[in-house]
Amino acid sequence: MKLFLRDQWPFAAFFLVQLILLIMIFAMDGYWNESLMIYVMFLSVFFAGAFLAIRYLSHRAIYQRLSKPVESLEELTQTYGNSPLCRAMDDISQEQYRLYKEQLHAYENKQRDHTTFIQQWVHQMKTPISVIHLLLQNEDDPTAESVREEVDRIKRGLETVLYIARLDRFEQDFLIEPVTLRSLVQNVLAENKRLFIRNQVYPEVKVDESWRVESDDKWLAFVLNQLLTNAVRYSAGKSNKVTIRAYERGAHAILEVQDYGIGIPSEDIRRVFKPYFTGENGRKYPESTGMGLYLVKEICGRLHHGVEMESEVGEGTTVRIVLSAVVPTLQESKIAES
Amino acid sequence: MSTIMIVEDDPKINQLLQEQLEKYGFQTVNVEHFDRVMEVFTQGRPDLVLLDVNLPKFDGFYWCRQMRQESNCPILFISARESKMDQVMALENGADDYITKPFDYDVVLAKIRSQLRRAYGQYAPQEGERTVEVAGLKLFLERMELSMYDTKIELSKKEALLLEALMNQHPRVVSRERLLEKLWDEQFVDENTLNVYITRVRGKLKDLGLEGAVETVRGSGYRLRATWEEGQ
């Protein structure tokens, strides 16, 4: 309504000026009949008012639309009415919507092709890595050891790429089921044993064998992998222990990775979960990509797990994953049965 | 002797797997033309199949279904794809297990053995038993026994693994890192535990009358020395 008034006031003003001008011309010419003048003014104003009212009613949709912010793309396709202006508005917004959609589709396709390409490429790279891996398995000299380390690094890098690419299609690629925490931890540790040994860091596992949580084991393993890689990397040379423990907090199960390494400066803590953020530690350790913790946060978010972090420079870092549901542990289910 | 069929389109992986399996006493059949997988399968009558997922023409899932129509033999998938969907697909198409690339020989061998045992009963010992020998000292890996001339001695699993590494590398040095890595299966092993195992292995060798056979090489690791030969 406001917009309508603001839009139409020049017209109203013009109309009034014209009316007064007409009456004044008649008056100066010597013709003056008061009641007729009032009647003419009344009629003119009445018809002008009626015109504006009809105008407003027929274009109300447009005015309302124009004075509200757009909330969804679909609003662009709604129809406004039957007047020529309304129909023109309809046509133009349909056309805009169509163009926009077309471009969006083009980008979506491009993005999908790109993701598919990356995934295929990573898989192609896995074949040569497998070959190198197999070739080295029966070798035991320092060169082979060193090549093995590099292969590990390539593998880790490729894995990160693959998981980032997959994140886009997360919805098609996860399956929530009971995951046994202990065996998950052990598998991830076994995968990283060379990393631990090379850095002379040893894991301490305090996870009850019967603990099970609702999660996707592949994604959770990836998350744990990232946390352990960080923990080992920032412990190296300072402490030789990384603790992985699980405990209960209310209805949640907490999986915690604690290291006693260099810690994270407090001004960096808030930002470590941002993509590409490497912070002070990243500058000390050239291998940081800044993606690890971002992925952890992102994946946990999609799995509906919480992430908490505590750290003190020189004391170490603790990262906790808050898992949403504890599946009744074996002891509990036994009690329930008896 | 069990026959293993390898369906893998990368020639190098194919060849490496083949060599490794033959080393452990398996017979291998491999596929060269990927439009004739079924012919090879029917003629070769393998006891177990290692099947890649990404293959030219048809994928592994297709071949797995085809094989299932003719036989119940164990089928193990070997693939670089590790998504949940692929694993589910593999199992639904009739596979028995799924190994992701890159893999360790140990894992493949262990899975092959366990599938064979499950499918054909306990005739696994008939497979060429894995043994390592250094100048008369013989290690039986499956039985975890160590023998010298006529004396036999039993070993724990970790001791056997340690000796395997040392004997395989003889007369070269095995780094501590490599040994730690070998011993680390389910439970991790730290430096102190490794020292304990080394002491135990030395003890066992002493029981066989071999003293000073495990030599410490400062700063790099351990080496097996056939001291008993040198003395003669």
Side-chain angles (χ1 to χ4, degrees), chain B residues 53-184:
Chain B
V53 175
N54 291 338
L55 291 169
K57 300 218 169 155
F58 296 105
D59 63 8
F61 302 135
Y62 170 83
W63 293 117
C64 189
R65 280 197 303 276
Q66 300 290 308
M67 289 173 191
R68 273 291 169 256
Q69 287 175 1
E70 289 189 18
S71 156
N72 263 329
C73 76
I75 298 177
L76 295 181
F77 267 102
I78 291 187
S79 171
R81 296 202 222 164
E82 53 193 324
S83 83
K84 206 127 227 173
M85 267 320 292
D86 288 310
Q87 311 213 4
V88 172
M89 283 267 281
L91 296 180
E92 277 185 350
N93 280 300
D96 295 280
D97 209 338
Y98 195 99
I99 305 169
T100 50
K101 283 178 194 169
F103 47 78
D104 289 335
Y105 287 130
D106 299 348
V107 173
V108 177
L109 276 167
K111 293 211 169 179
I112 288 178
R113 288 218 175 85
S114 95
Q115 289 295 343
L116 287 176
R117 253 201 313 277
R118 202 171 296 164
Y120 308 104
Q122 279 287 355
Y123 72 76
Q126 285 177 17
E127 307 295 345
E129 191 179 7
R130 287 196 296 154
T131 55
V132 198
E133 197 182 335
V134 174
L137 183 69
K138 221 171 171 186
L139 175 68
F140 299 89
L141 283 161
E142 254 89 297
R143 277 181 278 159
M144 298 198 283
E145 271 178 6
L146 188 65
S147 79
M148 183 75 195
Y149 307 122
D150 293 330
T151 347
K152 265 189 190 161
I153 199 162
E154 295 217 348
L155 299 169
S156 74
K157 195 181 166 205
K158 303 251 171 183
E159 290 160 1
L161 283 171
L162 256 186
L163 269 169
E164 184 196 5
L166 287 170
M167 289 169 80
N168 268 332
Q169 276 306 106
H170 174 81
R172 283 167 292 168
V173 180
V174 188
S175 65
R176 281 181 70 89
E177 276 102 58
R178 187 87 173 123
L179 291 176
L180 282 168
E181 197 188 308
K182 284 257 174 204
L183 293 187
W184 183 335

Side-chain angles (χ1 to χ4, degrees), chain A residues 123-193:
Chain A
H123 283 130
Q124 272 167 17
M125 290 305 107
K126 276 190 177 172
T127 304
I129 288 180
S130 304
V131 174
I132 299 174
H133 192 83
L134 290 179
L135 282 170
L136 287 174
Q137 259 175 57
N138 296 328
E139 296 299 319
D140 201 13
D141 53 75
T143 320
E145 189 58 44
S146 168
V147 177
R148 252 200 297 272
E149 271 175 30
E150 300 307 311
V151 172
D152 270 1
R153 271 162 75 173
I154 297 177
K155 255 179 359 200
R156 221 179 284 280
L158 284 181
E159 182 138 300
T160 312
V161 172
L162 196 60
Y163 275 80
I164 290 175
R166 259 193 208 145
L167 209 54
D168 288 341
R169 298 193 209 166
F170 188 82
E171 286 67 27
Q172 297 155 34
D173 195 28
F174 82 111
L175 182 66
I176 298 288
E177 56 188 356
V179 175
T180 309
L181 275 183
R182 175 67 168 266
S183 58
L184 178 93
V185 170
Q186 261 159 4
N187 288 341
V188 176
L189 285 175
E191 250 174 63
N192 287 298
K193 55 184 173 184

Side-chain angles (χ1 to χ4, degrees), chain A residues 240-251:
Chain A
N240 61 357
K241 199 167 80 172
V242 167
T243 313
I244 301 121
R245 61 170 83 80
Y247 54 88
E248 235 174 305
R249 187 207 282 165

Side-chain angles (χ1 to χ4, degrees), chain B residues 34-64:
Chain B
F34 286 90
D35 37 6
R36 297 218 299 263
V37 173
M38 283 315 288
E39 280 171 43
V40 180
F41 181 75
T42 326
Q43 280 165 15
R45 305 186 139 277
D47 297 303
L48 184 144
V49 182
L50 292 177
L51 188 55
D52 190 10
V53 175
N54 291 338
L55 291 169
K57 300 218 169 155
F58 296 105
D59 63 8
F61 302 135
Y62 170 83
W63 293 117
C64 189

Side-chain angles (χ1 to χ4, degrees), chain A residues 84-314:
Chain A
L85 185 64
C86 293
R87 277 206 296 271
M89 279 284 283
D90 284 353
D91 290 347
I92 205 112
S93 49
Q94 300 275 17
E95 192 61 14
Q96 264 182 0
Y97 182 70
R98 195 183 57 78
L99 268 175
Y100 179 77
K101 270 278 173 189
E102 246 168 42
Q103 283 195 7
L104 202 66
H105 277 304
Y107 278 111
E108 269 171 6
N109 283 339
K110 224 162 128 183
Q111 177 71 29
R112 199 168 35 238
D113 288 348
H114 184 71
T115 311
T116 313
F117 165 72
I118 293 283
Q119 288 195 338
Q120 272 175 359
W121 180 80
V122 170
H123 283 130
Q124 272 167 17
M125 290 305 107
K126 276 190 177 172
T127 304
I129 288 180
S130 304
V131 174
I132 299 174
H133 192 83
L134 290 179
L135 282 170
L136 287 174
Q137 259 175 57
N138 296 328
E139 296 299 319
D140 201 13
D141 53 75
T143 320
E145 189 58 44
S146 168
V147 177
R148 252 200 297 272
E149 271 175 30
E150 300 307 311
V151 172
D152 270 1
R153 271 162 75 173
I154 297 177
K155 255 179 359 200
R156 221 179 284 280
L158 284 181
E159 182 138 300
T160 312
V161 172
L162 196 60
Y163 275 80
I164 290 175
R166 259 193 208 145
L167 209 54
D168 288 341
R169 298 193 209 166
F170 188 82
E171 286 67 27
Q172 297 155 34
D173 195 28
F174 82 111
L175 182 66
I176 298 288
E177 56 188 356
V179 175
T180 309
L181 275 183
R182 175 67 168 266
S183 58
L184 178 93
V185 170
Q186 261 159 4
N187 288 341
V188 176
L189 285 175
E191 250 174 63
N192 287 298
K193 55 184 173 184
R194 258 196 294 276
L195 182 77
F196 277 97
I197 293 169
R198 201 186 322 134
N199 290 297
Q200 296 186 317
V201 176
Y202 297 96
E204 181 187 39
V205 182
K206 289 180 177 167
V207 180
D208 198 290
E209 263 173 60
S210 59
W211 275 51
R212 297 164 92 202
V213 294
E214 293 279 340
S215 190
D216 174 283
D217 60 356
K218 189 164 56 72
W219 286 99
L220 194 57
F222 179 77
V223 165
L224 191 58
N225 218 324
Q226 294 294 327
L227 296 183
L228 284 175
T229 313
N230 279 351
V232 171
R233 198 189 292 156
Y234 297 136
S235 295
K238 187 170 176 308
S239 108
N240 61 357
K241 199 167 80 172
V242 167
T243 313
I244 301 121
R245 61 170 83 80
Y247 54 88
E248 235 174 305
R249 187 207 282 165
H252 298 294
I254 311 280
L255 182 64
E256 182 181 278
V257 177
Q258 181 173 20
D259 68 60
Y260 309 90
I262 56 170
I264 302 169
S266 54
E267 66 267 23
D268 283 355
I269 285 192
R270 271 180 300 115
R271 295 193 288 160
V272 289
F273 292 114
K274 297 240 161 69
Y276 307 108
F277 179 78
T278 48
E280 201 169 298
N281 292 343
R283 284 189 281 280
K284 285 183 216 155
Y285 297 82
E287 240 176 279
S288 314
T289 57
M291 288 308 274
L293 284 173
Y294 160 70
L295 282 173
V296 164
K297 183 92 181 177
E298 196 71 11
I299 292 168
C300 283
R302 295 186 196 208
L303 291 170
H304 299 290
H305 302 332
V307 185
E308 294 168 4
M309 173 180 254
E310 260 171 43
S311 183
E312 210 167 305
V313 176

Side-chain angles (χ1 to χ4, degrees), chain A residues 54-109:
Chain A
I54 291 167
R55 190 97 187 136
Y56 173 68
L57 287 177
S58 61
H59 291 166
R60 192 171 45 188
I62 295 180
Y63 285 108
Q64 278 173 350
R65 177 75 213 79
L66 286 175
S67 48
K68 254 193 331 195
V70 187
E71 264 149 18
S72 76
L73 274 181
E74 280 59 41
E75 278 178 28
L76 285 178
T77 58
Q78 76 183 42
T79 54
Y80 297 105
N82 230 347
S83 71
L85 185 64
C86 293
R87 277 206 296 271
M89 279 284 283
D90 284 353
D91 290 347
I92 205 112
S93 49
Q94 300 275 17
E95 192 61 14
Q96 264 182 0
Y97 182 70
R98 195 183 57 78
L99 268 175
Y100 179 77
K101 270 278 173 189
E102 246 168 42
Q103 283 195 7
L104 202 66
H105 277 304
Y107 278 111
E108 269 171 6
N109 283 339

